[in-house]
Amino acid sequence: MRKLSGVLSKIAKTYQVSDLLTQVVSNEKAKEHLIDQICNLENNYGIKDELLMLDPKELSRQLIEGVTLKRNNLTSFLSKERFSSSPLFNFYFTRDASISIHNEVLISKMASQVRQRETLIMESIFNLSGTFKTVTVNPLKFTENDNVTIEGGDILIAREDILLVGSSLRTSTQGIDFIINRMLTKSEIKKQYILVQELPEAPESFIHLDMVFTFLDVDKCMIFEPVILQPNKYQTVQITIENGKVQNIKNVENLIVALKDLGMDLKPIYCGGRKDQWTQEREQWHSGANFFAIGPGKVIGYARNIYTMEEMSLNGFEIIRAKDVINNRIDLKDFKKFVITIDGSELPRGGGGARCMTMPVKRKNIAW
């Protein structure tokens, strides 16, 4: 994580969730509001007074890293639990809890209740930290449908008028319908397209769309071939919205064909290479398809996926080590296309890559 953060700080203005959360809880009214929300969500009002007593920095730490259980009565003394409020083990995957779409931030509705505190924190950051000027859209405030689930790893902005969404165990069809009905039909863009890719329910490495498909350049993308290109039972659906109304829903051959028909002609690069399916599966499992684009043809990924990196090199990407960027041994301006590699041994076991661990809040327009 330090290498990823170190690289990003060289090329863009970056924020840490803990710092932004500290800003939020430095305001007493915002602090109490957030603590009330968390205690209500987790049905855990016993820790409210304890949390209110903490200074902003320590409160921020405990809301993320967990509140240690006080052994001050027999029940807690005999409890096998370590925390009265659990750590947010998956919060380093900041992509999941909120998503920038057009000029709004969609607050996710996570599939797992244990991750809902992440969404409360992110909503408070965008609304109350004073750092960002935006509008948040929280599904919990607009629908009582428990089947609505949305996570950021399933949402890719292809172009201003094209949105890619994974239909997965984490993002339901009802969640996708919410995005369409609440956000896209109210957009000022007259004609929009949503490409929905069904994903396998197992193994767990197919958790989100960005684990099998990510953008690399204006004319290249990374794919896990068995899901994206090979014939299978997982549908690709194109939805057309015109003047705020859904005009057409149809099946299309695959994402690559559909994007080409919409004016985005992308060459697929194969996660794990093209020679061996076992290698493809192995590197996909270690987030080999999960790249974070910091610009057209400029991406970040895991060094450990050597066959994927070979494919990147064969397609004109210079392979650059993150530590060389951090230590100023490399000037990125000297390269037109590159992939910055970060080491990954434990991080990939968490089930995500560089894209999962970032959440862009502002993007420059790309001339397609």
Side-chain angles (χ1 to χ4, degrees), residues 1 4 89-90 92-96 115 153 170 204-212 214 283-292 300-305 342-358:
M1 284 291 290
L4 176 61
F89 295 109
N90 293 298
Y92 68 101
F93 295 137
T94 46
R95 178 74 59 163
D96 291 341
R115 297 193 68 186
R170 300 299 186 92
E204 193 177 357
S205 61
F206 297 131
I207 187 172
H208 293 135
L209 178 60
D210 65 9
M211 295 296 283
V212 295
T214 46
E283 296 206 351
Q284 188 277 329
W285 180 269
H286 289 292
S287 305
N290 190 272
F291 283 83
F292 176 51
I300 305 175
Y302 283 134
R304 66 174 297 147
N305 296 309
I342 56 175
D343 296 330
S345 55
E346 293 302 316
L347 283 176
R349 296 186 185 192
R355 188 177 192 273
C356 301
M357 294 184 283
T358 54

Side-chain angles (χ1 to χ4, degrees), residues 117-266:
R117 194 193 323 157
E118 298 173 37
T119 66
L120 294 180
I121 290 173
M122 293 307 296
E123 185 175 29
S124 73
I125 284 172
F126 284 109
N127 289 341
L128 303 172
S129 69
T131 302
F132 307 104
K133 293 181 180 179
T134 187
V135 174
T136 56
V137 177
N138 190 334
L140 290 174
K141 297 177 180 177
F142 294 94
T143 177
E144 296 181 356
N145 186 346
D146 291 336
N147 292 320
V148 170
T149 58
I150 304 165
E151 296 192 3
D154 274 317
I155 298 177
L156 284 74
I157 310 294
R159 202 171 62 194
E160 187 180 41
D161 61 331
I162 303 175
L163 189 71
L164 272 58
V165 186
S167 176
S168 67
L169 281 174
R170 300 299 186 92
T171 299
S172 64
T173 55
Q174 293 89 345
I176 298 170
D177 284 337
F178 174 85
I179 294 172
I180 294 170
N181 296 331
R182 175 60 187 82
M183 299 190 75
L184 301 187
T185 56
K186 299 180 184 301
S187 170
E188 295 180 358
I189 301 172
K190 291 185 177 180
K191 194 167 187 177
Q192 300 175 86
Y193 304 93
I194 299 90
L195 299 177
V196 179
Q197 177 62 55
E198 284 191 324
L199 298 174
E201 295 184 359
E204 193 177 357
S205 61
F206 297 131
I207 187 172
H208 293 135
L209 178 60
D210 65 9
M211 295 296 283
V212 295
F213 182 104
T214 46
F215 290 102
L216 303 174
D217 203 344
V218 293
D219 58 355
K220 293 180 180 65
C221 59
M222 175 60 62
I223 67 163
F224 178 60
E225 183 198 13
V227 170
I228 300 300
L229 288 186
Q230 289 183 11
N232 55 55
K233 65 179 182 179
Y234 305 107
Q235 299 179 78
T236 308
V237 178
Q238 178 174 312
I239 303 170
T240 303
I241 299 173
E242 193 165 3
N243 295 320
K245 295 182 179 180
V246 174
Q247 295 293 332
N248 186 37
I249 303 178
K250 65 179 181 180
N251 283 103
V252 290
E253 185 175 341
N254 57 52
L255 288 178
I256 304 298
V257 171
L259 287 167
K260 184 176 182 179
D261 289 344
L262 294 175
M264 294 182 66
D265 192 359
L266 301 175

Side-chain angles (χ1 to χ4, degrees), residues 28-55:
E28 286 298 320
K29 187 175 180 180
K31 174 181 178 178
E32 185 163 4
H33 176 69
L34 178 59
I35 290 173
D36 270 335
Q37 283 188 305
I38 291 172
C39 290
N40 182 58
L41 170 72
E42 300 177 356
N43 193 25
N44 190 7
Y45 278 96
I47 63 171
K48 179 179 177 180
D49 290 340
E50 176 186 344
L51 295 178
L52 286 171
M53 294 292 290
L54 298 175
D55 67 75

